[in-house]
Structure formats: C-alpha cells, structure tokens
Amino acid sequence: MLRAEDYEQGRYEEKKEITVQERNLWETVPAQDENYQSFIVRYNQNVEGTVQYESDRTFQIIDDMFGVTYVPASQVPEPLISSFSYFSVPKCYTYMDQGSLGASGVTRLHEHPYLKLKGSGTLIAVIDSGIDYRHPAFRNGDRTKIVSIWDQNIPGGLSKEAPFGRVYNREEIDRALSEENPLEIVPSIDESGHGTMLAGAAAGNGIPEEGFSGAAPQAELVIVKLKPAKQYLRELYLLPPEKDIFQEDDIMLGISFAVKIAFQLKKPLAICIGLGTSQGSHRGEAPLSQYISSVANFSQNAVAVSAGNEGFARRHYMGRMGENKQSETVELQVGPRESDLGFSMEFWGEAPNFYNVVIQSPTGEKLPVSAALKRETQELSFVFVETRVLVNYIPIERRSGNTLIFFRFLHPAQGIWKLEIEGRRGSIDRFHIWLPVRGMISDGTFFLEASPEYTITSPGDSPDGMTVTAYQHRDNSLYIHASRGYNTDNLIKPDFAAPGVDIKTPLAEPLGGYGNASGTSLAAAQTAGIAALLFEWSVIRGNEPFFSGTSVKNYLKRGAVREENIQYPNKEWGYGRIDLYHTFELLT
C-alpha cells in the first residue's frame, strides 16, 4: 500500500517501482476526482462498537453523526439506487431564484436611536456559487468584510482549513484588493452571480447613493463556493449538463466549514441556504435536512433555507387511495427537451400500502413495473416508441418506511404518458410523484393535474431550519412561484415569509453594479441577515447569551404580521410575514 511518506521530496525519484500513475492517484483529491463516488454515511452507528474516526483523503467527518466516504467508481456495485443506498447517494440541488428591507422592520432597527442593530460582531455564511469579493457591497476601500472564502472548485488537497479546494483568508483578500489585478492573488470568482446576490441581500454594505443595504450591513461574511456536482450524479439523475447543480455532501461540508470558522472566531453565525431539490421523501429525513436541524439547535447558530419556487410549476402530483378507490391514472406531458435528454422522477407511496404501476406510452403501449425485483434495475423497452424506462422499485425504503419507485426515462417520446397506479391494500393512503425542480427540467414536461401542495423543496423540509417563502413587499402578495407546504409529515412549512420579489442586489462581474431579482432564496438571505441582527441583540449585547437557531425562529414567529381574515399557520405563509421591529415591540 502506498504511504504519504513515499512522496516526501527526494524520495519519489528513489522508488522506481512507484509509477507516475500511482503518484498522480495519491495526489488527486477523491472529492474532486470524477473517478470517485461519494456516499453520505452515519459513521457513528457502528455494530462493532465505539470506533475512533479521523478525516483523511477518502473519508471526511462532517459532524458527530455524518461523514462522507469516497469510493473508487470501479468498486461501486450496481444498482446505485436501492433500499440500502438511496439515503447515502448525494442528491442534487440548484438555485431557488429567478426596496424590500422596510417591509421586514429592518430599516427601522438600523435607524433606531437605542437599538441601532446592523449585525455588528456576527457572521453570515453563504453556501452557494461564490462571491464577487471585488464588489463595493463587500469592501471598504482595500478592506474586505469577508472573513474567509472556501473555493471547492480550485484544485487542492487536504489542508488544516478544508478537506479539498482552496481557502482564502481576510489578509489574502485584502492584499488582492490592493493590487491592480486582484484575481492573480485570489482567483475565486462567481460565474453565475447567485451567491453574490444572496451575500448582498444578507450582509451587503449600506450604500446610500445606490439606495442599497443588506439586512445586516455590519455583519462579516463566510463564503463557500460549491464545486459542480460530479458527472456520475448528473448521469444518474439525467440532469442537463449546462446547469449549475451541486451535490449534497459538498453543501454539508460547506456548512461544517462555516460552523468551525464561527467557533474559532467565537462569533454567532447565521447560515443562508438558497438551494433546493425535489428529490427525497419530503419528510426532513435527507442527511442535509437532518444536519441543518442539528446545527440550528446549537447555541449561536441559525440556518435560513429557501422554501422553493415550485408552487405552480406543475411538477408534483398527489393521489389518494381509499376504501372505495384503489386505482388512479396519472397523466404526464413530456416536452421536446426531455425527449432528447431524458429525465428522472420519484414516486413515494405512504405505508402500509404497496403499489402496482403500469406505464403507458403516448401510442397506448403498456408495460408493468415489477414489484419483485427489489435490488435490481428493471429495464422497460417500448416497441412502438424508441424509449427505455429504467426502474428501481423499493417496497420499503429504509429511512421513511414508504414505497419508493425511482424512474429514469431515456429518450421518451413526446406526448402524454400515463401511469396507472393501483393500491394493494384497502387502507387510506396518499402517494406523491415529484419531477425535478426548475433548472433541472424544462417547463415543457409537467403533470396535467398537478398539485401545488407539498412542493416545499429539500432542505426546506428540515424541522428546525427556518424555511422562508417570498412575498412582494409593495402589495403584500405571495410570490406567485413560491412553493406551498407542508412537508409530507404535515410539519408546518414554510415557517414565515420575507420579501423576495424585485429585490435590489449586487451583481457580479462582468455585469457589476446593482439589479433586481426574485425568488425564495433571496427571502432566505434576508432572513439570515435578520437572524444576525437578533444575534447582535441577544449574544453580542448580552441579552440572551445562549440564543440558538430555534430561538431565532420562535422570536420571528411570535412577531410575524398576520392578516385578520387568514388562519395561521397555513401552507402558503406559515406563521405570517417577518417583522423584526414588531418582534422587539412585543419584547418590551
């Protein structure tokens, strides 16, 4: 077995038996290597008893529950999706977007003669596409407000700061800002501009001449630029190659990085997650959702998560089996883009029912899905259309106990496909089918009779994270694309609403300047900034030193604005519209 000392300077030339390929294999970081696959594991649940684990190049500890193991692709057995592996295979996430601060009561607190809350002494972490650190919203001359940037995409091995990629600290960023070409020193950029927008909405400097300010303009920033999802995951889930898509384990490692930075600096931390996926059971059981709940329960940590923009995207179907109804037909329109690229889809049927499924093509040809091939991938090949459907039928998914059927349509014919669903028991149970979220599938593929309910994206289904929907602050109307609750365990989600329509945000180069954007991820960013203001009042000023993310959520619930003619909590607004000023009014 190769050892680290085999590659000490001067020794490589002496060991002639070690090939160049072996040396490259050692130097390549598995997390960034397409020849390795990632699995999220609960490493502390060991049947052999207590084991001392340490992070290395093939295993990374996230917290005391979760870790990521990297396995050579050649050693991964088929099928990748099974009852045992579904939970561990990283899911894929993308952006939840397409004069707002006054509506949240933030501006009045910035200007209040006694409170003057602006986030001083706090940290806000944005786990997203990176940041344009050169933008005036994040600098004062040659001084940055960014504590650290972890760029997961820049090649780099395990270091004391991060398991892979490259970390740039405040001193390096300041030095870059003082140079004519900053990117020669800190070459981290935000290609999509999404992370820059979120960081600006949460903690951008107040710039009066632009009429702009982040929710917590004196908070400092921790930035994680996520690397793109690996090709094997894109192929597994049949995701478009040109889209910005990120994988679950990298997001979890990004959160862990931010938590460690906050611990080292002894500062309270608000985390913004503006990403989402429709994969999973929507019960808050995915590793990322569970990890967010764990982080939010710690003192001086809060996590704001976007609710998603899937409300009227027509990518969710809900059916119900009953005593007098044991079958249902689902109609699915497949558009031209998916006819070329294919797509994946997940069926989740509630226990204790079991489900039979027959797939009908647009030409009327029917093929049944076998419920007997539990650990094998079924291939359904249609004769009259050049379509194959790969199916993994999991009668009892290990985490939820529900039935999972994972579909992959390869070159599906355009037109209306039908799924004939039949329950095998007389119980009253629901089933759900989710297509991928916007950005992972075109608008030309949708259910003809879709349901806007239960469209909160993961990790917005996390029980203890703050799930935030968006509204138009000018007329107090709900954002038209906002996802609706609850989660499938009927846990109240979203928790509340924040402004998220036509929000003024900083724009990354090459655009630069400022522009308007909409989406629930911007509402989550503002909420992260609002959490920082609460941390300034509670922790920094000593009013509530052990304030946690759960505390922040409960305070914001209590102060939320509710209309008299609407019953709360509800599936659209949660507990109402955030009003931090009203929260402080109630405290006094």
Side-chain angles (χ1 to χ4, degrees), residues 538-550:
S538 60
V539 178
I540 302 302
R541 300 187 184 181
N543 291 298
E544 292 281 354
F546 301 104
F547 224 56
S548 68
T550 304

Side-chain angles (χ1 to χ4, degrees), residues 149-293:
I149 299 174
W150 176 23
D151 192 323
Q152 296 184 350
N153 205 32
I154 294 177
L158 178 65
S159 67
K160 64 179 181 180
E161 293 91 4
F164 57 91
R166 180 72 163 82
V167 176
Y168 300 96
N169 59 33
R170 185 198 299 273
E171 289 71 25
E172 291 172 297
I173 300 170
D174 283 345
R175 185 158 58 89
L177 291 174
S178 68
E179 298 293 331
E180 184 177 349
N181 187 356
L183 295 179
E184 290 183 353
I185 298 173
V186 178
S188 182
I189 60 175
D190 181 5
E191 291 91 344
S192 75
H194 190 260
T196 298
M197 291 193 300
L198 299 192
N205 292 327
I207 303 179
E209 59 270 24
E210 293 288 348
F212 170 80
S213 175
Q218 291 182 5
E220 296 176 312
L221 285 164
V222 177
I223 301 296
V224 177
K225 177 180 178 178
L226 297 166
K227 68 176 180 61
K230 288 188 176 181
Q231 186 62 28
Y232 82 93
L233 289 173
R234 291 176 181 266
E235 293 174 356
L236 173 66
Y237 300 125
L238 298 173
L239 301 176
E242 75 280 5
K243 297 295 184 178
D244 289 342
I245 294 170
F246 311 101
Q247 62 190 70
E248 187 173 15
D249 52 312
D250 292 336
I251 301 171
M252 295 174 73
L253 287 168
I255 295 173
S256 177
F257 172 81
V259 170
K260 291 173 184 174
I261 292 290
F263 179 79
Q264 292 167 4
L265 297 178
K266 295 181 171 52
K267 292 186 176 184
L269 171 69
I271 300 172
C272 172
I273 305 293
L275 307 168
T277 185
S278 60
Q279 295 173 320
S281 65
H282 292 241
R283 291 163 50 120
E285 294 174 329
L288 176 57
S289 297
Q290 291 189 46
Y291 181 45
I292 285 173
S293 284

Side-chain angles (χ1 to χ4, degrees), residues 330-479:
V330 181
E331 294 183 314
L332 170 65
Q333 172 70 49
V334 173
R337 182 177 176 83
E338 279 63 53
S339 180
D340 180 43
L341 297 176
F343 65 95
S344 64
M345 181 174 73
E346 294 186 9
F347 171 102
W348 289 86
E350 290 184 350
N353 218 331
F354 288 94
Y355 303 85
N356 294 327
V357 178
V358 175
I359 303 176
Q360 178 178 315
S361 74
T363 63
E365 184 180 0
K366 295 183 179 182
L367 293 177
V369 173
S370 172
L373 300 175
K374 299 177 183 178
R375 296 189 182 180
E376 296 182 21
T377 300
Q378 305 171 49
E379 181 174 325
L380 307 180
S381 297
F382 290 83
V383 175
F384 298 106
V385 293
E386 294 183 1
T387 300
R388 291 185 301 135
V389 182
L390 305 181
V391 184
N392 296 96
Y393 190 106
I394 303 172
I396 304 176
E397 194 274 323
R398 186 162 57 110
R399 293 295 305 170
S400 65
N402 292 337
T403 296
L404 164 63
I405 309 176
F406 180 64
F407 298 93
R408 283 172 287 173
F409 284 75
L410 306 180
H411 301 290
Q414 292 185 54
I416 297 176
W417 289 74
K418 295 182 180 180
L419 280 73
E420 298 176 0
I421 314 294
E422 181 182 13
R424 286 195 262 162
R425 297 180 182 271
S427 56
I428 301 175
D429 299 301
R430 294 175 307 186
F431 67 86
H432 300 269
I433 309 175
W434 284 282
L435 290 164
V437 297
R438 176 178 283 119
M440 296 185 184
I441 198 170
S442 75
D443 291 338
T445 297
F446 55 87
F447 294 110
L448 269 62
E449 297 184 14
S451 169
E453 297 181 358
Y454 302 98
T455 52
I456 297 290
T457 53
S458 179
D461 57 357
S462 172
D464 295 312
M466 296 184 292
T467 304
V468 191
T469 191
Y471 74 97
Q472 167 59 269
H473 61 281
R474 293 182 178 87
D475 61 7
N476 293 335
S477 61
L478 191 70
Y479 178 47

Side-chain angles (χ1 to χ4, degrees), residues 21 68 104 114 131 230 269 328 376 378 439 455 527 537:
Q21 288 79 8
V68 184
S104 299
Y114 300 109
I131 192 170
K230 288 188 176 181
L269 171 69
E328 191 160 334
E376 296 182 21
Q378 305 171 49
T455 52
T527 304
W537 171 82

